[in-house]
């Protein structure tokens, strides 16, 4: 499988969330070797979409001369898009949002009704693509934190896309927390193995991933410098 990891964190490989992504990919590789390419959105020259819709009238050609044509080509050559990013203001970081905004070039102005809403008809065939989101946040729990990002991802990529959200993510860059982060990352690796085998993650594994690594009140006290 050709996997394109689109990392939205400005920290690149040092991202808390990339620890989760690497563990997930390791699990997929346990089942079968995968071809993985990573894009760090912060390192790419991506101009902001101006909403002129030139690309939707002109076969995907944008008014900007930047890295997006290459990125769109990499997307179309992939089988799985894995979006890895930390939660910023209940959504995705700006570099990743700029990249996703520019994928409008894959769509045309023509609309069709799908279910209860309308969608743009694609200018390219990306029906083979699967979508996966791995998102970490620095809060102690997931309640009233990930909902906006999840809703946006589902609307963009379909209700059958796979989403993994993890609170307390800064612990993955804390060596002293390894006693709890290492077992958790093994569960993420299990999720990767399941996804490689079945195209989904079992309810049992998802339930384990939803449990904070340490009690939320303890995590908050540590973050607040309370001892």
């Amino acid at each position: 499988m050709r996997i394109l990891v689109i990392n939205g964190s400005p920290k690149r490989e040092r991202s808390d969330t990339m620890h989760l992504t690497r563990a997930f990919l390791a699990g997929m590789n346990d089942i079968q070797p995968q071809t993985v390419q990573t894009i760090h959105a912060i390192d790419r020259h991506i101009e902001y979409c101006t909403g002129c819709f030139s690309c939707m009238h002109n076969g995907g050609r944008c008014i900007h001369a930047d890295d997006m044509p290459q990125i769109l080509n990499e997307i179309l050559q992939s089988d799985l898009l894995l979006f890895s990013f930390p939660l910023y203001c209940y959504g995705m970081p700006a570099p990743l949002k700029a990249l996703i905004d520019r994928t409008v070039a894959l769509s045309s102005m023509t609309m069709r009704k799908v279910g209860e809403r309308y969608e743009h008809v694609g200018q390219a065939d990306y029906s083979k693509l699967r979508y996966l989101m791995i998102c970490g946040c620095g809060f102690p729990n997931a309640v009233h934190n990930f909902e906006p990002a999840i809703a946006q991802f589902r609307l963009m990529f379909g209700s059958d896309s796979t989403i993994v959200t993890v609170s307390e993510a800064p612990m993955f860059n804390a060596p002293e927390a390894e006693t709890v982060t290492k077992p958790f990352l093994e569960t993420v690796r299990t999720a990767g193995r399941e996804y490689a085998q079945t195209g989904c993650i079992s309810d049992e594994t998802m339930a384990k991933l939803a449990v904070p690594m340490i009690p939320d009140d303890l995590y908050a006290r540590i973050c607040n410098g309370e001892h």
Side-chain angles (χ1 to χ4, degrees):
M1 180 183 293
R2 294 176 63 91
I3 303 172
L4 181 61
V5 177
I6 303 180
N7 179 18
S9 173
K11 295 179 181 178
R12 304 172 179 86
E13 290 292 342
R14 295 185 297 107
S15 164
D16 302 329
T17 309
M18 279 298 287
H19 287 271
L20 298 163
T21 297
R22 286 190 290 267
F24 191 91
L25 291 172
M28 293 189 70
N29 274 303
D30 288 341
I31 302 303
Q32 182 177 344
Q34 312 291 332
T35 300
V36 180
Q37 179 184 357
T38 300
I39 290 175
H40 300 296
I42 192 71
D43 290 333
R44 296 299 184 101
H45 175 201
I46 303 172
E47 296 288 342
Y48 295 119
C49 178
T50 65
C52 69
F53 302 123
S54 294
C55 62
M56 302 178 81
H57 291 287
N58 299 314
R61 293 188 300 277
C62 181
I63 61 170
H64 296 305
D66 57 10
D67 291 341
M68 274 308 297
Q70 178 186 352
I71 293 172
L72 292 175
N73 184 56
E74 292 166 351
I75 287 173
L76 292 174
Q77 290 182 12
S78 301
D79 301 303
L80 171 66
L81 298 187
L82 196 166
F83 293 90
S84 174
F85 61 94
L87 199 67
Y88 275 31
C89 294
Y90 307 101
M92 62 185 68
L96 178 57
K97 182 59 165 61
L99 186 155
I100 289 180
D101 285 348
R102 292 285 304 284
T103 61
V104 69
L106 297 175
S107 301
S108 68
M109 291 299 294
T110 304
M111 300 180 188
R112 66 183 172 196
K113 192 170 186 180
V114 179
E116 297 181 349
R117 68 176 189 147
Y118 284 86
E119 298 177 354
H120 288 287
V121 176
Q123 297 191 84
D125 181 12
Y126 42 88
S127 57
K128 70 169 184 174
L129 276 172
R130 294 158 63 186
Y131 306 95
L132 193 149
M133 163 182 151
I134 298 179
C135 182
C137 81
F139 284 122
N141 58 44
V143 178
H144 302 311
N145 288 323
F146 292 108
E147 290 89 344
I150 291 172
Q152 183 180 37
F153 198 82
R154 295 278 192 222
L155 287 169
M156 288 189 299
F157 301 117
S159 59
D160 59 344
S161 53
T162 301
I163 295 176
V164 176
T165 59
V166 176
S167 57
E168 304 178 343
M171 292 177 63
F172 297 114
N173 271 323
E176 62 272 23
E178 191 174 84
T179 54
V180 293
T181 58
K182 188 174 180 179
F184 191 92
L185 290 173
E186 280 301 316
T187 303
V188 177
R189 188 165 184 157
T190 297
R193 286 194 290 267
E194 293 176 352
Y195 189 84
Q197 289 177 310
T198 67
C200 61
I201 303 171
S202 69
D203 291 341
E204 179 183 1
T205 299
M206 289 295 283
K208 290 179 180 178
L209 293 175
V211 178
M213 290 173 281
I214 62 175
D216 56 4
D217 58 340
L218 173 60
Y219 175 86
R221 291 201 303 271
I222 293 171
C223 290
N224 292 340
E226 301 172 8
H227 301 287

